[in-house]
Amino acid sequence: MEKIAIIGGGVSGSYLAYLLSNSGYDVTLFDIKEKYFKPCGDVVPNIYKPKFEWKIKYYIKNFAFYLDGERIYDVSYRNPKWIVIDKSGWINSMRKNVNQVISTNVDKSKFDLIIDAKGPYDMDRQVVYTTRALIETNEFSDEAVLEFNTKFTGFFWIFPDEEGVLNVGAGFIENKNSKDILLNYIKNKFKDYKILDLRGAPISIGGVKSKSLKIGEARGLVFPMSGEGIRPSAISAEIAYEAITKGRNFDEYLSYNLTKIERRIEIQRRLLDVYMRSNINARKFLLKIFLRNDVLIDAFLEDKLDFEGILESARGIKYGSIIR
């Protein structure tokens, strides 16, 4: 049986290591830390469930969109559109069940297959530097807020994390100092709050130079307009597991089975590029059209901004997925 090394214990690396170990494979997971923690919004579209169940902390049905401080669109769904998960708890639960080495130095001679799941940390692609704060506040709301500023490419977010606690974050391509921007935003947005945790992390928005033997964010599997990478990373781990257990060519199998996701990621990159090349007036015009369109917002919330996904959203709205 093959000896397999997986470098990087995030979503895709830990999930693949767990799936393979649970099936009797000789797997070693390499990471610089014994336990996983990477701050993000911790939200996933409610259209996917992993084979190793995660804890759901909150269901989100209500959304509001702001542009330059003005609330321009809100929507409520009959069923939860997003879920808030305990991502770190999920990953660390899987890591308890696999052989780990606290290092990223792999002796290649000892392994038959080495898979890269290091996330964005090779810095071989464009990234956006984000900061997220968990705040305790009596101004808690079950509404997910996305707030855009036409001076920058990116957005602020406010997501319910658990009762009384909000996940508030920011990430803008043009400004790497997202911490100061976020702290100022929180100060202006809330009257009474306590910061429980404040951390930053890079998130991929650009393509990678090589996808060979890579999964998850190491492969560039993050939707650049929303920043959502949990679901595509988990899916890539499941596909990698199938490739290995079925004895298929790893890279060919992943490329074929990730076609739809990678196409949708590329569409978002192109839309983001158009936005970045536009002046402020054009940005405001484009965003107002986008953010006031029920179908486009629905497709955006599930990261399916291609023809197939937009048609799917249109059908769902036609048959009553939206309350308002």
Side-chain angles (χ1 to χ4, degrees):
M1 181 179 291
E2 287 184 316
K3 294 191 68 175
I4 302 169
I6 301 172
I7 309 173
V11 172
S12 61
S14 296
Y15 190 22
L16 177 58
Y18 170 80
L19 291 173
L20 290 170
S21 295
N22 208 40
S23 296
Y25 282 79
D26 186 349
V27 182
T28 303
L29 180 67
F30 290 80
D31 196 273
I32 58 172
K33 294 183 178 180
E34 184 177 358
K35 291 188 176 181
Y36 171 88
F37 189 87
K38 180 184 176 183
C40 70
D42 288 346
V43 296
V44 182
N46 191 27
I47 53 176
Y48 167 76
K49 182 183 291 187
K51 298 178 187 300
F52 182 81
E53 191 172 352
W54 48 37
K55 176 185 175 183
I56 298 175
K57 299 169 69 178
Y58 216 92
Y59 293 91
I60 303 178
K61 295 182 179 181
N62 305 313
F63 297 83
F65 295 83
Y66 288 75
L67 178 59
D68 295 334
E70 176 189 1
R71 185 179 178 114
I72 64 169
Y73 178 88
D74 53 71
V75 62
S76 295
Y77 288 90
R78 295 190 182 280
N79 299 304
K81 183 61 98 175
W82 282 359
I83 54 174
V84 179
I85 67 167
D86 179 4
K87 183 180 72 166
S88 295
W90 178 63
I91 290 171
N92 289 321
S93 292
M94 292 188 290
R95 286 176 65 159
K96 288 179 182 177
N97 295 288
V98 303
N99 179 39
Q100 291 191 79
V101 173
I102 311 306
S103 171
T104 55
N105 296 318
V106 180
D107 184 346
K108 296 181 179 180
S109 66
K110 294 183 178 181
F111 296 94
D112 303 299
L113 180 64
I114 300 173
I115 298 168
D116 183 351
K118 291 195 299 294
Y121 297 105
D122 283 340
M123 293 301 178
D124 58 344
R125 80 291 303 272
Q126 186 180 17
V127 300
V128 59
Y129 292 91
T130 65
T131 302
R132 112 40 208 109
L134 295 178
I135 69 167
E136 188 176 60
T137 177
N138 57 14
E139 300 171 61
F140 177 84
S141 170
D142 66 356
E143 185 178 71
V145 173
L146 294 173
E147 185 161 345
F148 297 84
N149 184 322
T150 49
K151 292 181 181 179
F152 303 110
T153 309
F155 55 83
F156 297 101
W157 71 78
I158 304 172
F159 301 152
D161 187 71
E162 55 186 333
E163 203 64 38
V165 178
L166 296 173
N167 181 318
V168 188
F172 299 97
I173 293 174
E174 295 89 348
N175 194 324
K176 294 182 179 181
N177 190 6
S178 55
K179 179 181 177 180
D180 287 349
I181 293 174
L182 177 62
L183 290 174
N184 188 58
Y185 177 76
I186 293 172
K187 183 179 179 181
N188 292 326
K189 201 79 174 177
F190 300 94
K191 294 179 180 179
D192 179 26
Y193 65 91
K194 177 184 177 182
I195 295 179
L196 304 176
D197 189 76
L198 180 69
R199 301 174 193 248
I203 294 178
S204 301
I205 58 169
V208 301
K209 294 178 180 178
S210 171
K211 296 179 181 180
S212 181
L213 296 175
K214 292 183 178 182
I215 59 174
E217 195 172 353
R219 191 183 175 90
L221 294 177
V222 176
F223 290 99
M225 286 177 61
S226 67
E228 205 281 290
I230 298 173
R231 178 172 54 102
S233 289
I235 291 171
S236 75
E238 292 175 353
I239 294 170
Y241 170 76
E242 290 177 3
I244 292 167
T245 56
K246 292 179 178 180
R248 304 293 179 85
N249 180 284
F250 189 88
D251 288 328
E252 290 179 2
Y253 195 83
L254 260 72
S255 292
Y256 178 78
N257 286 282
L258 286 169
T259 298
K260 180 186 286 188
I261 288 176
E262 293 190 323
R263 182 184 70 239
R264 288 177 169 176
I265 288 173
E266 183 58 32
I267 287 171
Q268 288 199 14
R269 288 193 184 121
R270 292 180 184 182
L271 290 172
L272 203 60
D273 186 59
V274 170
Y275 180 84
M276 290 179 66
R277 293 173 183 272
S278 303
N279 61 38
I280 289 178
N281 290 332
R283 287 181 176 192
K284 182 166 287 193
F285 175 76
L286 290 170
L287 277 172
K288 280 186 175 181
I289 290 174
F290 184 86
L291 295 175
R292 286 173 171 164
N293 187 297
D294 288 339
V295 173
L296 292 179
I297 285 296
D298 186 85
F300 167 73
L301 292 175
E302 292 185 357
D303 288 307
K304 52 184 185 184
L305 286 169
D306 58 359
F307 183 70
E308 177 187 349
I310 289 170
L311 281 180
E312 184 181 306
S313 289
R315 286 194 294 268
I317 291 170
K318 179 181 178 180
Y319 292 110
S321 64
I322 291 178
I323 294 175
R324 180 200 56 74

